Amino acid sequence: MKHFPIFLALEGRRVVLSGGGEAALAKLRLLLKTEAHLTVFAPDPAPEIAEWATQGRLRLVRRRLQPGDAMCAALFYAANDDDAEDARVAKLARADGALTNLVDNLHGSQFITPAIVDRDPVTVAIGTEGAAPVLARQIKRELEERLSPVLGTLARIGKSFRHVAEALPMGRARRDFWADYYDTAGPRAHAAGGEASVRETLDDLLNAHLTRQAAAGHVAFVGSGPGDPDLLTMKARKALDTADVVIYDRLVTPEILELARREALMIDVGKEGFGRHTPQEEINAHIVRHVADGHQVVRLKSGDPTVFGRLDEEVEAVEAAGLSFSIVPGITAASASVATIGQSLTRRGRNANVRFLTGHDMKGFADHDWADLAKPGQVAAIYMGKRAARFIQGRLLMHGADPETPVTVIENASRPNERVLSATLSTLEPELSRANLTGPAVVLLGLAPRTAASLTRPHLEHPTLQEVL
Ligand code: SAH
């Protein structure tokens, strides 16, 4: 980080600017939002600057900057639309001890002014150290759209109410109150009746929260999708934002865990050795204990929690303890896998049903209706199927399946290290063993990758269709 972002208190401090044209105007519009004492040196100022001087909003000196003019200034801006003049005045200002900025001259500047999203008193500053001004503008645009225009007003009123809200116990109760205020109650009241209505609402809202008996704990069984954080649902993100405790599996990617609230207690029930074999009762006990303690628990499962996720066992434990839960669906590995190869799970005239199968169950390799699966046109997504591949291959061939039936294996679907193995039923083994896949993989029976060159995977750096092993 070459530039360290700070918010500088400018109230009552001296800020000096040299210049009277376009560059000066742009900077002054920003600086006039502060409470600094502004002095502008310009022999020939734009009419707006003269007008601001008349209004007493800044002091205007109608001449070029001279030594000593920037004395005691906290900040100095060289904004003359003239590189030589900027260099001259910046040198003088530095000699006077001011921190200097030269407009559009990153290297000559001691500080830079970020792109700003202004919802005073909430201010978002965006800097790219000059590397990507386009990106800064894009981020600014996105934030401008996302942050309510009345956010500043809400924050200002909220700030004056902070001490009153201290009537609520610290921690979740207070967080919930403010979340309610900023997310729903505040904007609604503002839309209905402006600032006065917001103030009234704060009182009502506080009473409601005070009388609400200590909120009970809750567990959300949340699907984290196949690994790409962009494939999380908004609901999953919200749950992660507010979680006190996150209990997660081995297949949940670090990028997704990053999104959890920073103070959340993170419990890994998927560690190697401990992990895959963390007894289910132990996981259930973790969940129940934290929910019973009144916490907001997120039980994060890869893909969709309702698909091969042992969800019911956990739900039953929560129910048996009389605690509340909800389920947030996620994108299951089968959906991500077919998306990768540009195919549909169902297709008119080919298959009117699709099966999600597990390669093995508690007793070993899982048995299925092989005779039915062996019929032409069947599509199945086989989870946990790598080790069972030879068994599945044998069973299907034995039941008369066409050896040329396409079989595609997708490893690490949606992740940067995603790989696709395109085979047929007859070649699946030994090809799969030879490929030595180490990540989670779905075996898609009856589907071959679409070979259209136009199929790209936008989340990957290289827009190649697949790495056929
Ligand atoms: N609930 C999960 C499945 C859990 S079972 C879901 O809905 O996706 C674990 C199996 O899911 C793995 O053995 C593998 O078959 C599959 N899987 C999970 N994530 C995957 C991914 N990113 N790519 C391919 N397969 C994945």
Side-chain angles (χ1 to χ4, degrees):
M1 203 190 280
K2 286 213 165 59
H3 292 82
F4 183 62
I6 53 170
F7 287 87
L8 198 63
L10 282 182
E11 186 185 5
R13 303 211 48 195
R14 186 154 192 259
V15 172
V16 175
L17 181 142
S18 162
E22 280 307 316
L25 279 171
K27 281 286 173 286
L28 286 170
R29 281 194 194 99
L30 270 184
L31 288 167
L32 282 169
K33 295 183 177 192
T34 72
E35 292 167 26
H37 290 310
L38 283 175
T39 305
V40 177
F41 288 86
D44 184 18
E48 290 95 327
I49 299 179
E51 177 65 22
W52 286 328
T54 316
Q55 293 167 358
R57 299 180 67 190
L58 51 78
R59 195 165 80 82
L60 176 61
V61 184
R62 290 175 186 263
R63 61 164 169 78
R64 294 171 75 202
L65 189 94
Q66 288 165 8
D69 280 343
M71 204 59 92
C72 299
L75 300 179
F76 176 80
Y77 283 90
N80 296 285
D81 297 303
D82 173 345
D83 291 346
E85 178 65 356
D86 278 354
R88 183 189 74 84
V89 296
K91 197 169 164 202
L92 294 181
R94 272 198 296 272
D96 285 344
L99 267 184
T100 57
N101 170 275
L102 286 76
V103 171
D104 289 336
N105 180 347
L106 177 68
H107 297 296
S109 295
Q110 292 173 307
F111 72 94
I112 50 181
T113 316
I116 291 172
V117 180
D118 176 12
R119 299 287 187 279
D120 185 44
V122 177
T123 314
V124 185
I126 306 151
T128 63
E129 302 197 338
V134 177
L135 181 61
R137 274 197 293 279
Q138 184 186 329
I139 296 171
K140 177 174 155 73
R141 202 166 48 241
E142 282 169 16
L143 287 173
E144 291 284 8
E145 277 167 21
R146 220 172 101 186
L147 300 180
S148 151
V150 299
L151 180 66
T153 309
L154 294 181
R156 195 162 30 76
I157 300 173
K159 188 175 173 189
S160 66
F161 200 77
R162 282 191 81 87
H163 63 286
V164 188
E166 279 167 16
L168 284 164
M170 236 165 56
R172 187 157 42 80
R174 229 179 267 175
R175 259 198 327 273
D176 286 352
F177 168 76
W178 288 116
D180 245 13
Y181 170 63
Y182 283 111
D183 289 351
T184 25
R188 204 176 288 156
H190 192 278
E195 295 199 18
S197 160
V198 173
R199 282 178 214 284
E200 275 168 36
T201 294
L202 268 174
D203 283 325
D204 296 346
L205 191 66
L206 180 61
N207 284 333
H209 275 254
L210 281 170
T211 46
R212 183 197 286 179
Q213 43 182 198
H218 178 87
V219 56
F221 294 96
V222 176
S224 75
D228 177 355
D230 279 351
L231 292 179
L232 278 174
T233 61
M234 304 273 267
K235 218 169 190 168
R237 288 235 28 185
K238 280 191 196 152
L240 283 171
D241 272 348
T242 51
D244 299 313
V245 180
V246 177
I247 302 174
Y248 63 95
D249 281 336
R250 192 173 50 97
L251 287 181
V252 178
T253 52
E255 293 85 341
I256 287 173
L257 296 176
E258 275 287 308
L259 299 172
R261 198 163 67 83
R262 206 178 298 183
E263 299 79 14
L265 171 67
M266 307 295 288
I267 301 178
D268 179 357
V269 291
K271 270 186 223 137
E272 236 28 84
F274 172 63
R276 278 198 100 160
H277 311 288
T278 303
Q280 189 61 49
E281 304 74 55
E282 212 170 289
I283 299 177
N284 298 353
H286 272 305
I287 299 172
V288 167
R289 180 161 57 83
H290 288 289
V291 180
D293 282 351
H295 290 133
Q296 301 303 304
V297 177
V298 165
R299 171 70 174 110
L300 200 56
K301 289 170 178 289
S302 76
D304 183 280
T306 71
V307 178
F308 303 126
R310 300 187 72 173
L311 175 67
D312 299 76
E313 297 164 53
E314 297 177 15
V315 165
E316 280 154 23
V318 170
E319 269 184 330
L323 301 168
S324 86
F325 73 93
S326 59
I327 298 173
V328 179
I331 293 182
T332 190
S335 300
S337 299
V338 285
T340 291
I341 61 166
Q343 294 290 8
S344 289
L345 283 169
T346 61
R347 181 181 175 139
R348 210 136 62 107
R350 182 190 64 200
N351 64 313
N353 63 55
V354 59
R355 272 173 273 207
F356 289 1
L357 309 177
T358 172
H360 59 84
D361 58 22
M362 275 146 48
K363 288 178 259 129
F365 293 150
D367 231 335
H368 298 288
D369 185 349
W370 304 113
D372 201 40
L373 278 166
K375 290 179 189 156
Q378 296 301 306
V379 171
I382 306 167
Y383 289 67
M384 297 169 276
K386 266 187 307 185
R387 268 191 297 149
R390 193 176 293 282
F391 169 80
I392 294 166
Q393 180 185 37
R395 283 289 186 278
L396 286 170
L397 290 173
M398 197 173 83
H399 283 84
D402 181 352
E404 293 308 308
T405 306
V407 180
T408 308
V409 185
I410 292 103
E411 181 200 32
N412 292 315
S414 87
R415 304 180 190 175
N417 54 350
E418 172 181 83
R419 288 197 291 175
V420 177
L421 165 65
S422 172
T424 63
L425 192 53
S426 64
T427 64
L428 176 62
E429 282 299 359
E431 280 191 46
L432 182 58
S433 298
R434 216 180 283 146
N436 193 24
L437 305 185
T438 49
V442 162
V443 179
L444 293 174
L445 173 70
L447 293 177
R450 190 184 291 277
T451 46
S454 51
L455 174 64
T456 57
R457 286 175 287 160
H459 59 284
L460 295 183
E461 261 176 36
H462 308 292
T464 50
L465 166 61
Q466 66 198 57
E467 185 181 330
V468 179
L469 299 157

